[in-house]
Amino acid sequence: MKGVAILGATGSIGASALAVLEQHPDRFRAVALTAHRSVDALQALVLRHRPALAVVSDVEAPHGGDGATRWLSGREALLEAATHPDADIVVNALVGAAGLEPTLAALQAGKRVALANKESLVCGGPLVLEAARWGGGELLPVDSEHSAILQCLAGTRTGDVRRLVLTASGGPFREMDPALLENVTPADALRHPTWAMGSKVTIDSATLANKALEVIEAHFLFGVPYERIEAVVHPQSIIHSMVEMVDGSVLAQMGFPTMELPVLYALGYPERLPYECRRFDPVAAGALTFEAVRTDRFPAFALGVEAGRAGGTAPAVFNAANEVAVAEFLAGRAPFGGIARAIADALARWPGGPVHQLDDVRQADAWARRAAHESLSRLAPC
């Protein structure tokens, strides 16, 4: 039986991971669960799953308990969960750049990291790959798009691949006139047509910033250059990604939208485990359509891909500016269009630099957060 630590257990990915564990109690058990601030929700999960360790990273841990679970709080406690001696697998479902350090710690400790925190690779891709090599850890994607690519690549050689094609739903504004996007509300942006996700990821889907993050992530996960990674809008979210081979063959991984299957694949890899879920029905799926990504409607996508191509600390700046702008939009303090403008302003002013160590990422992240706040306070809506 394998022990599993779930970082971000109270979020949507954490819920999917726990659902997988419950279907395979003979194979997996929760040994550590963490949350950011949701103490009550975490306490309920602790009572159900009885992990050895429970961590709340941003507030004080509750006192007492039943004695079976040790409660801790703070950043160091989060790293302890990521390196717990009984954890064979660490599901990193944290949101944002805060997930990078636990990813590095888990890989350096030789863990399998089931990565749902795309920002780890976006902000610190070279560091993550180095940590896996140095510590003997294993990195497996949980994002549905990257899980799809991993499945399509099974049994192939690197030289067999011509192109990766990531699919995007297009979010709630796929057909909206770009001139009208400035005045959309957080409630409008949170109405995702096909996926149920946390608020930050849902807004990233509405701007397609998430797809730019996934392009960068794919570059590091699969060692494919940016010029051979593309994105296409696929509103039905049935095909999760495609791989084109050098002979022209195209492999696609399909299924109704659910995050439980990518989690299951990462936990059981390379074995496929049985799972009770909605069976795929091609007739029920209906017509599958594809559209080009319109950068006039989704400027954040183009900015993120360009940051990835620039390399070094530019992706960390893109990510940090986006995190700040999304938070300000959700709080009603910035317009929807301000997200892309804040990102563009931060990237234009950042002098650039390499990523040699974690401090390089931290400094770029801190600078970009300040820059984004400054931009949003002075940039008037278009």
Side-chain angles (χ1 to χ4, degrees), residues 60-71:
E60 189 71 23
H63 297 287
D66 61 6
T69 300
R70 185 165 58 110
W71 284 83

Side-chain angles (χ1 to χ4, degrees), residues 237-258:
S237 297
I238 296 295
I239 293 179
H240 301 298
S241 277
M242 296 175 276
V243 176
E244 182 185 12
M245 302 300 176
V246 292
D247 62 2
S249 298
V250 177
L251 305 182
Q253 190 268 334
M254 305 171 66
F256 291 122
T258 174

Side-chain angles (χ1 to χ4, degrees), residues 344-368:
D345 185 65
L347 287 171
R349 293 195 286 134
W350 177 245
V355 174
H356 292 312
Q357 55 190 354
L358 187 56
D359 276 349
D360 296 328
V361 176
R362 288 173 172 158
Q363 291 170 14
D365 181 275
W367 180 93

Side-chain angles (χ1 to χ4, degrees), residues 282-309:
V283 175
L288 305 181
T289 62
F290 303 91
E291 306 165 9
V293 174
R294 286 185 52 176
T295 54
D296 60 336
R297 183 177 285 126
F298 302 113
F301 171 77
L303 289 166
V305 173
E306 186 55 37
R309 289 177 179 270

Side-chain angles (χ1 to χ4, degrees), residues 53-66:
L53 175 64
V55 172
V56 282
S57 59
D58 196 49
V59 294
E60 189 71 23
H63 297 287
D66 61 6

Side-chain angles (χ1 to χ4, degrees), residues 11 47 52 61 66 140 156 217 227 275 295 329 333 350 362-363:
L47 289 174
D66 61 6
L140 289 171
T156 67
E217 188 180 8
E227 59 268 22
Y275 201 70
T295 54
F329 169 69
R333 293 189 292 265
W350 177 245
R362 288 173 172 158
Q363 291 170 14

